[in-house]
Amino acid sequence: MTTTETDVTVTKTEPAAPEPPRAKREGGVLNAFSHGILVIWAVMVVTPLLWAVMTSFKDDRSIFSSPWALPDKLHFDNWSRAWTQANMSDYFLNTLLVVGGSLIGTLVLGSMAAYVLARFDFPGNRFIYYLFIGGMSFPIMLALVPLFYVVNNMGLLNTIHGLILVYIAYSLPFTVFFLTAFFRTLPTSVAEAAFVDGASHTRTFFQIMLPMAKPGLISVGIFNFLGQWNQYMLPTVLNTDPDKHVLTQGLVQLAVSQGYKGDWSGLFAGLVMAMLPVLAAYIVFQRQVVAGLTAGALK
């Protein structure tokens, strides 16, 4: 009887070499440096905001005598005085009407144009796309004088709807540029399935593709909201009627009209009023903004 012995070769996996101490030190130094820069940047951004909020609850004497101290008590009358006597309520309402109307118009028109440019090939597609991109690089200062005459000839000067149309035209280039890249990342199979089921292009866009583009719409909507809410140059040139002034014009008027006897506590209260909607919008939609930017950057 013959016994056959089989040699079994066992392969041993060498343990991974530990990371060199020098690389660990360099990574730790880099992380500490980057975190330090972020902390410094956060302090530079947050400190003026907190100081403005704190100052809005002080009286005028405390603002100059102890600018960095906490208020002795909360002077809520500053806010009520700014809201009523300084007409911040009217400025706030005008701003809501202008920004709300222009934001809706910008998102609807921009998403429709971006969807067509991203999904359909036709003669002049690239030309129209680069025309929108060229609008982003055109300085608004060069367009103020001709824009004034165009709006005046159309009978839209010193009107809310005229300012809404100008804001839409001002925001469309960036909106189309952003959403075109976003629509290209969406899967085409869903739209093709809708066409097979008999859906029209309009129904496919509004009921299927537009809901899928919600993160991108929220992201570009926040950016447009920030730009339109803080816009000062366009309303100053096109909206000279005091009854139709927006918040930026109202704050400047509040600061200038009082001269050296300015109502500084009321001014800071009005400033915080104008600042709160922007902060609230970004805090509420910050995750959607990040998701939209990430999805739009991937192809």
Side-chain angles (χ1 to χ4, degrees):
M1 182 174 179
T2 304
T3 303
T4 305
E5 296 180 356
T6 304
D7 295 333
V8 180
T9 303
V10 179
T11 304
K12 295 183 178 180
T13 304
E14 294 293 335
E19 187 179 357
R22 181 179 179 181
K24 290 184 179 181
R25 290 196 302 269
E26 291 179 354
V29 172
L30 182 60
N31 289 333
F33 178 76
S34 60
H35 282 76
I37 293 297
L38 291 176
V39 170
I40 295 175
W41 179 259
V43 171
M44 292 175 60
V45 172
V46 174
T47 300
L49 299 180
L50 294 179
W51 183 77
V53 174
M54 179 183 66
T55 307
S56 66
F57 291 103
K58 291 183 176 182
D59 55 8
D60 292 336
R61 182 183 58 82
S62 300
I63 292 176
F64 291 98
S65 61
S66 53
W68 296 105
L70 293 175
D72 53 354
K73 67 176 183 178
L74 299 180
H75 295 271
F76 290 102
D77 57 309
N78 298 337
W79 289 63
S80 61
R81 189 171 64 254
W83 185 258
T84 56
Q85 298 180 11
N87 298 323
M88 293 300 295
S89 58
D90 297 334
Y91 303 146
F92 202 90
L93 178 60
N94 293 336
T95 305
L96 286 180
L97 292 176
V98 173
V99 175
S102 60
L103 194 60
I104 294 174
T106 301
L107 293 180
V108 172
L109 297 177
S111 60
M112 294 171 66
Y115 176 73
V116 172
L117 293 175
R119 292 292 180 171
F120 299 97
D121 292 328
F122 56 89
N125 183 300
R126 292 289 88 189
F127 174 76
I128 297 176
Y129 176 71
Y130 288 119
L131 195 63
F132 277 108
I133 295 180
M136 296 172 55
S137 61
F138 190 80
I140 192 62
M141 294 292 296
L142 297 180
L144 288 178
V145 175
L147 184 62
F148 175 85
Y149 285 106
V150 169
V151 174
N152 188 29
N153 293 334
M154 295 176 64
L156 299 176
L157 196 65
N158 296 327
T159 60
I160 296 296
H161 52 281
L163 202 58
I164 290 176
L165 293 177
V166 173
Y167 276 21
I168 292 175
Y170 173 76
S171 305
L172 269 181
F174 173 74
T175 303
V176 173
F177 168 74
F178 186 93
L179 291 180
T180 299
F182 192 88
F183 275 117
R184 288 173 180 168
T185 64
L186 300 180
T188 58
S189 58
V190 179
E192 292 174 354
F195 292 143
V196 171
D197 291 339
S200 62
H201 288 287
T202 304
R203 184 176 181 182
T204 301
F205 172 72
F206 283 103
Q207 294 187 0
I208 298 176
M209 303 305 295
L210 202 60
M212 293 175 61
K214 182 180 178 181
L217 292 173
I218 293 178
S219 298
V220 74
I222 291 297
F223 290 131
N224 285 329
F225 175 76
L226 295 176
Q228 295 173 4
W229 187 272
N230 297 321
Q231 181 61 242
Y232 175 72
M233 187 65 66
L234 290 176
T236 300
V237 176
L238 305 175
N239 186 29
T240 57
D241 187 358
D243 294 333
K244 295 183 176 64
H245 278 180
V246 294
L247 272 176
T248 51
Q249 294 175 286
L251 289 175
V252 173
Q253 185 175 353
L254 179 61
V256 174
S257 62
Q258 300 292 335
Y260 291 102
K261 298 180 180 179
D263 185 4
W264 296 104
S265 56
L267 177 62
F268 277 100
L271 176 64
V272 176
M273 289 181 187
M275 181 177 61
L276 285 180
V278 177
L279 292 177
Y282 187 79
I283 291 173
V284 172
F285 296 107
Q286 59 177 334
R287 292 189 177 182
Q288 288 84 347
V289 171
V290 175
L293 292 176
T294 306
L298 299 177
K299 176 67 177 174

